[in-house]
Amino acid sequence: MAQINRREFLAASMATAAVTASFVDRTVAFESGAPPEVQAQPWYDRTMRWVQLILVETDPGQFDPEWWIDLFKRTRADGLCLTAGGLTAFYPTAIPFHHMATTMKAGDDPFGVLVRGARALGMTVVARTDSHTCLNDAAAAHPEWLNIDENGQPRRHPALPETRVITCALGPYNFDFMTQVHREIAERYPIDGLFCNRWQAEARGMCYCDSCQTLFREFSGGMDLPRGANSSSAPRYADFELARLTELWHTWDGTIRKARPSARYFSNTGIDIDVAARLAPTYLSEQQARGSNPPWAFGVGGKQMRTIFGKKPIIGLAGITLSSRVSVAPEAEIKIWMLDSITNGLRPWFLKTSAVNPDTRWVPAIEKVFDWHYRNEKYMRNEANLARVAMLFRPTGDLTAADITAITEGDPSTFVSAASRAAMATRDDMGRGAGTSGAGRGRLGTDAVAGGGGRGRVAAIGRDSAAAGMYQALVEGRIPFEMAYSRMLEPEDIDRYKLLILPNVTALTDDECDKLRQYVGRGGSLLATFETSLYAGTTRRSNFALADLFGVALAGDVESNGNNGYMRVEGRTGHPMLKGLEGVGQIVTTSRRVNVRATTTFPSPPLTRIPSFPTLPMEEIYPRTPNTDIPEVFARTIDDRSRVVYFPGDIDATFATGMAEDLALLIRNAVNWAMNEPPPVSVEGPGILDVTCWRQSNSITVHMLNCTNPFTLRSAYREDIPVGPQRVTIRVPAGRAVRRATLLVAGGTPWVERSGNVLTLTVPSIVDHEVVAIDL
């Protein structure tokens, strides 16, 4: 057994001394936060506040573990994800070619010291590994581990080409070497889980090693690995990659569970999202830095992940930097990014690269957010979102329910996805959109709005301007809403919503359209824009698949509205969609529109088309046709319960690019009209707030994230800009008695007016975030 060194001894002693205090802390936690039965839950359900510490090559001997253990205690963190090995070992490994950090000395065990310190505080511990590269000595001894390019050469690491080589994700390196690493870690240390970074194949490039060639031929029935994006074997390779990675997931999960039965493997990318939802006990919605995204972008991915994963806890992984790995963002920026994840029902997880701390300005933000979250933990354990509006998103993947079952529960090698079946049946379609890495499989792509990239992740916000514009309009309107997933349209998935919004969801299958039609038949409402349902995959239909619901038929092509087109506001109709436009004769129109004709009777349209007219010379700027009878919105009621609104123009995308407030106002008015019921919560006051409404076991909470800032649409916040007062109206479920109302950030009990099940109160001011808690 290795001798314990002085630093490890001191850290372990200090951690042991903290045990008694930690028991006291945990007692307080259950009194003020989670109920006692939380202690019996699996680690992935009970853990609420995570720290991820990525150790780097030179950290051993250079960092102070006592500082970190003290930070864990001060911030009330109850989960630690810590770098253990793979790319670099931070413990005394016995596995050949498992490179140990160069600054480690005999007897050093930085991973073990921090694990024991975290355990003494009662924390969950997840070991992090990285499997995408090895050093030259390992490459020379084990060429079968390497990722080989099309020319038969090992791929050198792009950042460290002189010392490192990229490894194969689907062959012996991951299945043999990394499995040994994971077994060693699980057998030596009391870990709860395993998280492997860069384990997927697509991040490394197509591998043509002997192993991949042999395995793919066996899987595909004799095909060669694809070469080029339009290779006939590309769709089948996507299936192979997914099946192989699923097998790897099972291998690693089974390996650590043999050593520790309650341990589980999980990752946040690399695999079809629906497959991950079956396999993973928890999942990460990752946004390490805000970049040019709005502050509510974290919530986009969070909403999507929560929809797909159901009751499984979703973690919001945030960095503390602006963009570069070791920079430090301002305190206000760190807070707004983390608070957005909390507002949208995620469990906060912050990431720090290197245990050395040359700049600790990030610490106060973490202390404030985590301590507040800890003190109000019982209000953070959400059981349901109370929103009655949901925005539809869809993946770019093509798996069927049978495929997912075969992959996760049966023999992964037996499944053939819908794309592969179509590709093998129709040669002209072979490889279309699949690419050589299968990168499209399982991404939440063109109709998605959240952050990230790669398989099993979601496309960056703003990549789909329609969805981004719709999302922003709803946020600015303070309309609580969720996301609905096109693969989950059964009554138990969507009937809790009164309104589904389809922001130019161009591609919908016949089955999905049938389920949406059934939803409307059960009393649900729809709001759709532009080319929604006009395509089946990449094939353009002759008419909208949802034409019967829209009450219109396709009558021509998509056309531009020109650079100076308008909509006439038909105020005489008195339609509720025109609220706020009293006295206004015309507003800017959309960038594009679909030519349609009505197939049912509509009342006088509240908006009509004013065709584009010249912008120069100045004397010629006047409408040539000031009045038409061409509707710019179609709104109707079906069976006195359901309402359907269809905008033939790309109103959401135009708002995203031009930020015309009138278009956002129209969207919000259309949402309120289509709902035809009062919202569960409404907030009136100045500023831009992201509003969400949640139910816990014995309470209701309304989160209000203050997004009001000169840098709302661009990182980074320099300071908090308070807003207020806000008048909050909450509708309490029938039959529930109200005990008290509390402001969880400002503190205190506000004056509450009550009329039946409607509560009204005033929040004097919001600095960054406020939560109204109603105890029932």
Side-chain angles (χ1 to χ4, degrees), residues 60-120:
Q62 307 298 318
F63 78 99
D64 183 0
E66 298 176 23
W67 186 93
W68 281 99
I69 295 169
D70 182 61
L71 179 73
F72 303 157
K73 184 178 179 181
R74 292 200 321 273
T75 59
R76 312 288 189 171
D78 55 358
L80 172 65
C81 180
L82 180 65
T83 303
L87 190 151
T88 300
F90 292 95
Y91 66 94
T93 180
I95 299 172
F97 299 108
H98 190 199
H99 164 69
M100 285 194 293
T102 53
T103 59
M104 281 179 61
K105 297 180 174 61
D108 281 357
D109 186 5
F111 176 76
V113 169
L114 289 171
V115 167
R116 287 186 284 275
R119 278 302 198 186

Side-chain angles (χ1 to χ4, degrees), residues 112-148:
V113 169
L114 289 171
V115 167
R116 287 186 284 275
R119 278 302 198 186
L121 295 174
M123 296 175 70
T124 297
V125 175
V126 169
R128 173 192 174 272
T129 60
D130 191 306
S131 71
H132 83 286
T133 179
C134 66
L135 290 171
N136 287 339
D137 60 343
H142 290 281
E144 74 277 11
W145 288 356
L146 307 182
N147 183 296
I148 305 300

Side-chain angles (χ1 to χ4, degrees), residues 269-291:
T269 186
I271 201 167
D272 182 271
I273 196 68
D274 291 276
V275 173
R278 294 278 192 96
L279 299 175
T282 183
Y283 210 69
L284 304 180
S285 179
E286 180 177 348
Q287 296 272 0
Q288 290 194 25
R290 187 158 69 92

Side-chain angles (χ1 to χ4, degrees), residues 27-56:
T27 301
V28 173
F30 292 127
E31 288 178 353
S32 64
E37 57 267 22
V38 168
Q39 300 175 75
Q41 292 179 347
W43 59 267
Y44 38 84
D45 285 330
R46 68 172 181 265
T47 309
M48 296 291 286
R49 292 165 297 280
W50 289 87
V51 176
Q52 181 176 358
L53 177 56
I54 299 178
L55 299 176
V56 302

Side-chain angles (χ1 to χ4, degrees), residues 47 175 235 239 393 440 570 618 649:
T47 309
F175 278 85
D239 295 345
F393 71 100
E570 305 289 356
M618 302 293 282

